[in-house]
Every structure is written in C-alpha cells, then in structure tokens.
C-alpha cells in the first residue's frame, strides 16, 4: 500500500504558479509527476546498494530489561575480526567502548574506536567501533553490527537513524536488541531486504515488582540503593540537594549531557557504595530517563519523581513503554541478586505506574524515515529552476522548498516521514533574513543543533550564519 500526501499548502503553491503564468496549465501534470519522483520514499532499502549486494543475517534479541540480551550480542561482537556497536546514547557508546577495550565483555581486550556526535577517539589499528546510531558508517563492510534499543525506530525524531542502520549497514551479521513489540516490523524489514532472520527470546534474570505504596511525597522515605528519576538537569540537581539536606545519604547524578568521564565516576561511586575505606559512601542515584537505555547501574529501587516530561515540544505523560524501560532498570543479577522494586514519589502517580506494567504493548507498526541529504538537495535545486523570480532575485525560501517536499512525499505503509523536515524548516526560518546562496543556507541547516531547548542556541546559530554571510 502506498501513502501519497499532497498538503493544502503544496496544492496552493503549485496552483499559484499556474494561475500567474509561471507554469503553463498543461505543464501542471508533468511538474507534479516530477515532484512525486523527487520525493518518492517508497523503497528506502534501495538507497543502500552496498548492503543490498550482501545476504545479511539478522539476529533479533528480544526480551525485557535486565535479561542479558545486549550482553550476548556484545559477546558476538567481541569475538569477530571487525564490527560496530550502535547505541542510543553517547554515554552508552562510551560504556561499550570501555568494555571492549578492557576485555570486560569476554575477557579479551578488543582494540576499538569511538564515534559520537561530540567525541571521536580513533585507533588506527582498531577494526571495531562503538558509536551512537546516528554515526553508523554505511560504507565499510564489517563482520558484525549490534544495534541497541531497536524499538527506537518508531521515534518521530530519532527513529530514522535506526531505520537507516537496519537497512544500510553492510554487516554479515546484524544483532538487534530491543523490546518484543518490535518483532513484527523487524520481520517485515528483513523480508524487504531479502535477508535472513533468527529470533532469540529472553526472560528477565531477576524479579521485578511495582510497590503497593509510594514514598508519600516525602524524600525522607528514600532508601540506600534507590534511583530517583527526574526530567531536566535543573530538577535532577535540585533533587540531589533536597535529598542530601533531608536524609543522611549522599547522591550521585547521571543524565544524558553529562561528560562521559564524569558519568563513569558517578556510576562507580554509586555501584561501589559502602566499599570506601574512609566511610564516604554515595548511596542514592538521581538520574534522567537515560538510565532506561541500559547504562550499567546497580539499582535496587527505581522511584519516579514524576511521570511527566517535556519532550522538546510539549510536556506529556510518559508512555507505558517508557515507564517499563526506565522502571525495569531496578534489580541486579549476579553474586548478589536483588529483586527490583518500582514505585513513585507521589501517590497520584502510582495507579498509572501499575497499569503500565500490566498493559500489553501493541506491536510497532511503522519505522521512521529521513530522506538522504542528497535527495533533499536534488529536490531543492530542481524546484528552484521553476520557482517564480521577483526582479531577477531567487525568491524560493528553503523553508518553502522543504514544506513542498513534505507535502509531496510518498511512503509505503511500513514507514513514515519523521520530524526531520520540520527541524530543518525551523533552522531555515531562523536564518531566513540572512542573505546567502541557497546552497550555503542548506548547509547551515544541516548543523546538528537542537533549537527546542535554549533561546541562546537560536541566537548563536543566527549570529554564526550572519557573520558567515558577511565573510567575517
């Protein structure tokens, strides 16, 4: 089934070209056909010819949190001559990088490079790389790739990176780790690529339960080994101060933007609590939802300070999947196996918490797509030639061109276009008043910058573009 979208704005714009005589009415049909070709996203697997030349073997490791699925995939990665780990967080990429280098995976150190959006540690003799999924290299043939938290391919903003890695990594074996609800869609994508699929199912290694009582809104009910989950760096540090003021415990903190070495130090202090000879102990962890992505932390009980978070667009309730992913980090397995407990700080959150762990989660229906950059460039340059000019000036704004791409695009029913186009449009609108060639403007809008969080970033982005246009 093909989904074809032509928004009202797209129809209005093309209609204006025709009515003003910019485009002859008889050419409307041919132009629309050309636009549909340029925005055709129905066969994304064909964007990656190197991977299509291979008969890849997919191994899907599915199970709940703390079930050992990622550990088994990493063991396979460490056993081969060349490979890549693709993770959802730079902190997790660092963690796997350290595990491979130190031999913590299978007892044998593996030379490894690191690649994230913020760091690059290159070992010229290494055949393995640990990276965030967005940094996956699709031009190098390898033995094994591990793609972690594969259910993230449904994400409206970042899911495209998982879809791209799945369809495009030229690896003989691709090990996918994630939730059971991804199985049906993964099977469809594997069939689309004409690859082979093996499914391995896992059970949780330690028990997990939701408490019958919350902390009654009191931080004095915090216990040693607890992880208090909060959303936003300022809230995390405020909770840390409040807990240390109201209890005898000292706190560590972990969140996504924390520098990796600091994160390692904080995790070590928390995981080795009670083992310091001077009596200094860090017994409680205050963390963001980053812990849900599998960071190695010895948590006894997860306490949600809230079940609402700001996702960059709006404040919303956590989904059942997110609650399970975060809460499931409670409990430890090993020489000192501990049952995992999940609860909330406030009574009002406990009913939703319990329902989330009882709800049967539906299968993921669609994978997010982002058109390859060359496709967007071709579209912008093609449409530029037929756009009306005012007094000899190119009046096509990048924002308008990207909106037209969004309006005309086509996908198959297993895919959807994510928010990448909207993010590019936001960047384009920010620097719309800056005079520069369309090609340069497009390059600026490909900058990996999130404008949803801080006005200072938007101002800095605009100033950088203005200074470039003035050749300073």
């Amino acid at each position: 089934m093909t989904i074809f979208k032509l928004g009202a704005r797209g129809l209005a714009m093309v209609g204006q070209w025709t009515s003003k005589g910019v485009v002859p009415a008889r050419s409307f049909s041919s132009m629309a056909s050309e636009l549909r070709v340029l925005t055709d996203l129905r066969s994304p697997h064909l964007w990656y010819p190197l991977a299509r030349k291979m008969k890849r073997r997919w191994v899907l490791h599915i199970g709940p949190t703390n079930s050992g699925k990622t550990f088994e995939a990493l063991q396979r990665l460490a056993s081969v001559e060349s490979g890549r780990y693709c993770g959802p967080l730079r902190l997790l990429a660092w963690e796997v990088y350290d595990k491979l280098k130190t031999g913590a995976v299978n007892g044998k150190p593996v030379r490894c490079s690191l690649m994230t959006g913020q760091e690059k540690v290159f070992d010229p003799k290494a055949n393995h790389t640990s990276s965030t999924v967005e940094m996956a290299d699709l031009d190098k043939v390898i033995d094994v790739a591990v793609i972690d938290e594969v259910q993230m391919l449904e994400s409206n903003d970042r899911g495209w990176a998982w879809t791209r890695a799945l369809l495009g990594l030229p690896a003989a074996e691709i090990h996918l780790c994630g939730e059971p609800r991804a199985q049906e869609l993964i099977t469809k994508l594997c069939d689309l690529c004409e690859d082979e699929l093996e499914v391995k199912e896992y059970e949780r290694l330690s028990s997990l339960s939701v408490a019958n009582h919350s902390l009654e809104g009191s931080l004095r009910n915090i216990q040693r080994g607890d992880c208090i989950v909060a959303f936003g760096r300022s809230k995390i540090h405020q909770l840390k101060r409040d807990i240390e003021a109201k209890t005898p415990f000292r706190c560590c903190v972990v969140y996504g933007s924390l520098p990796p070495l600091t994160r390692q130090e904080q995790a070590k202090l928390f995981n080795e609590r009670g083992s310091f000879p001077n009596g200094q102990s860090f017994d409680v962890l205050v963390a963001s939802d980053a812990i849900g992505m599998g960071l190695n932390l010895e948590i006894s009980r997860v306490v949600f300070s809230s079940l609402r978070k700001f996702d960059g667009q709006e404040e919303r309730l956590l989904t059942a999947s997110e609650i399970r992913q975060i809460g499931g980090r409670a409990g430890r397995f090993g020489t000192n196996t501990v049952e995992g407990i999940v609860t909330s700080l406030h009574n009002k959150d406990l009913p939703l918490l319990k329902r989330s762990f009882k709800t049967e989660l539906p299968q993921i229906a669609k994978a997010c797509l982002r058109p390859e950059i060359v496709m967007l460039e071709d579209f912008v340059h093609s449409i530029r030639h037929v756009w009306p000019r005012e007094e000899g000036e190119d009046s096509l704004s990048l924002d308008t061109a990207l909106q037209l791409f969004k309006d005309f695009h086509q996908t198959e029913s297993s895919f959807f276009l994510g928010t990448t186009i909207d993010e590019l449009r936001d960047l384009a609108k920010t620097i719309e008043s800056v005079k520069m060639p369309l090609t340069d403007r497009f390059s600026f809008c490909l900058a990996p910058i999130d404008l949803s969080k801080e006005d200072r970033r938007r101002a800095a982005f605009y100033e950088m573009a203005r200074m470039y246009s003035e050749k300073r």
Side-chain angles (χ1 to χ4, degrees):
M1 175 184 177
T2 298
I3 299 174
F4 173 65
K5 298 179 179 179
L6 179 56
R9 181 171 175 177
L11 283 170
M13 288 179 176
V14 178
Q16 286 175 9
W17 302 342
T18 304
S19 63
K20 292 179 179 180
V22 177
V23 180
R26 63 179 179 274
S27 300
F28 179 89
S29 178
S30 61
M31 177 181 293
S33 296
E34 182 179 354
L35 291 176
R36 284 195 288 269
V37 170
L38 291 169
T39 58
D40 191 342
L41 309 180
R42 291 176 294 177
S43 300
H45 61 296
L46 299 182
W47 301 349
Y48 311 106
L50 184 57
R52 295 293 74 75
K53 292 178 182 179
M54 305 173 67
K55 184 72 172 181
R56 303 179 303 170
R57 177 172 174 259
W58 298 25
V59 182
L60 177 59
H61 304 263
I62 55 172
T65 53
N66 286 2
S67 59
K69 54 187 183 295
T70 302
F71 179 71
E72 182 166 330
L74 290 177
Q75 285 189 310
R76 177 59 179 155
L77 176 65
S79 71
V80 296
E81 290 297 318
S82 62
R84 175 177 287 267
Y85 170 81
C86 299
L89 298 172
R90 56 190 282 262
L91 296 182
L92 201 51
W94 270 95
E95 187 171 285
V96 172
Y97 167 73
D98 286 333
K99 285 182 176 180
L100 289 171
K101 283 190 65 178
T102 60
V105 175
N106 62 0
K108 180 181 178 182
V110 177
R111 297 192 77 123
C112 187
S113 296
L114 173 77
M115 183 75 70
T116 76
Q118 295 173 262
E119 303 98 0
K120 180 178 179 180
V121 181
F122 179 66
D123 181 345
K125 295 184 179 180
N127 292 322
H128 287 71
T129 302
S130 180
S131 73
T132 46
V133 68
E134 286 88 350
M135 303 300 292
D137 183 356
L138 307 189
D139 297 320
K140 182 180 179 181
V141 177
I142 53 177
D143 295 323
V144 168
V146 174
I147 304 176
D148 210 354
E149 305 297 346
V150 70
Q151 73 279 351
M152 288 285 291
L153 58 84
E154 71 169 342
S155 170
N156 204 28
D157 56 348
R158 294 184 64 204
W160 63 268
W162 276 261
T163 306
R164 173 178 175 269
L166 277 170
L167 301 181
L169 273 170
E173 285 182 21
I174 300 181
H175 290 254
L176 316 170
C177 306
E179 299 175 19
R181 64 194 184 93
Q183 183 173 350
E184 289 183 9
L185 183 57
I186 294 299
T187 301
K188 289 181 182 179
L189 298 183
C190 186
D191 290 342
L192 182 67
C193 295
E194 299 183 355
D195 291 333
E196 299 175 354
L197 176 64
E198 176 185 357
V199 179
K200 293 186 176 183
E201 299 183 14
Y202 296 76
E203 298 293 333
R204 188 176 165 89
L205 297 174
S206 62
S207 61
L208 180 71
S209 63
V210 179
N212 291 322
H213 304 283
S214 74
L215 269 58
E216 306 291 343
S218 175
L219 293 177
R220 289 185 171 85
N221 291 323
I222 294 292
Q223 299 174 1
R224 186 169 182 264
D226 280 354
C227 172
I228 320 303
V229 178
F231 303 100
R233 184 170 52 187
S234 61
K235 291 182 180 179
I236 289 172
H237 284 286
Q238 183 61 54
L239 268 174
K240 176 183 185 296
R241 289 191 293 269
D242 291 346
I243 291 169
E244 291 181 339
K246 296 177 181 180
T247 75
F249 302 126
R250 300 180 70 188
C251 299
C252 296
V253 296
V254 167
Y255 48 87
S257 60
L258 202 65
L261 294 179
T262 304
R263 202 279 313 169
Q264 290 176 6
E265 180 185 57
Q266 293 288 292
K268 182 178 180 181
L269 289 172
F270 177 70
N271 288 342
E272 297 179 1
R273 54 189 177 273
S275 63
F276 298 96
N278 60 2
Q280 298 288 322
S281 182
F282 291 81
D283 299 306
V284 173
L285 177 67
V286 186
S288 72
D289 51 349
I291 65 162
M293 295 298 179
L295 295 173
N296 185 27
L297 296 162
E298 301 291 327
I299 299 167
S300 299
R301 183 173 68 168
V302 168
V303 180
F304 286 87
S305 66
S306 172
L307 294 182
R308 302 188 69 89
K309 66 174 287 187
F310 181 73
D311 62 6
Q313 301 295 325
E314 61 181 359
E315 185 173 274
R316 62 168 178 83
L317 282 172
L318 298 177
T319 65
S321 174
E322 289 170 331
I323 290 172
R324 286 190 186 188
Q325 193 76 9
I326 299 166
R329 297 303 166 186
R332 303 194 303 273
F333 178 78
T335 53
N336 296 306
T337 300
V338 174
E339 176 189 10
I341 304 293
V342 187
T343 190
S344 59
L345 178 59
H346 303 285
N347 285 330
K348 62 183 177 64
D349 291 326
L350 201 55
L352 177 57
L353 197 61
K354 289 186 175 182
R355 285 198 304 273
S356 297
F357 277 90
K358 292 179 180 178
T359 301
E360 183 175 348
L361 301 179
Q363 287 285 311
I364 298 172
K366 297 183 179 184
C368 180
L369 285 179
R370 185 192 77 175
E372 292 296 304
I373 298 305
V374 67
M375 295 178 65
L376 291 173
E377 289 177 334
D378 287 347
F379 178 81
V380 169
H381 290 302
S382 295
I383 200 171
R384 183 183 182 192
H385 295 304
V386 298
W387 191 262
R389 291 175 177 265
E390 299 174 0
E391 300 179 359
E393 294 286 331
D394 185 354
S395 62
L396 173 64
S397 72
L398 182 56
D399 171 38
T400 298
L402 292 171
Q403 177 64 43
L404 281 169
F405 188 100
K406 183 178 178 180
D407 281 342
F408 275 87
H409 84 277
Q410 303 172 77
T411 61
E412 290 291 349
S413 58
S414 294
F415 300 97
F416 70 95
L417 182 65
T419 59
T420 303
I421 297 294
D422 295 322
E423 292 165 1
L424 291 175
R425 288 186 62 216
D426 189 23
L427 290 165
K429 284 186 283 189
T430 299
I431 60 173
E432 190 168 358
S433 63
V434 178
K435 290 186 177 181
M436 67 172 66
L438 187 64
T439 301
D440 290 350
R441 190 180 303 276
F442 192 80
S443 297
F444 264 90
C445 292
L446 295 177
I449 179 172
D450 181 4
L451 298 183
S452 66
K453 296 179 180 179
E454 295 181 25
D455 290 339
R456 288 178 299 174
R457 296 183 186 180
R458 190 178 298 275
F461 178 67
Y462 173 84
E463 188 64 18
M464 182 173 63
R466 187 189 63 79
M467 292 177 67
Y468 172 83
S469 71
E470 296 175 0
K471 305 301 181 184
R472 289 192 195 176

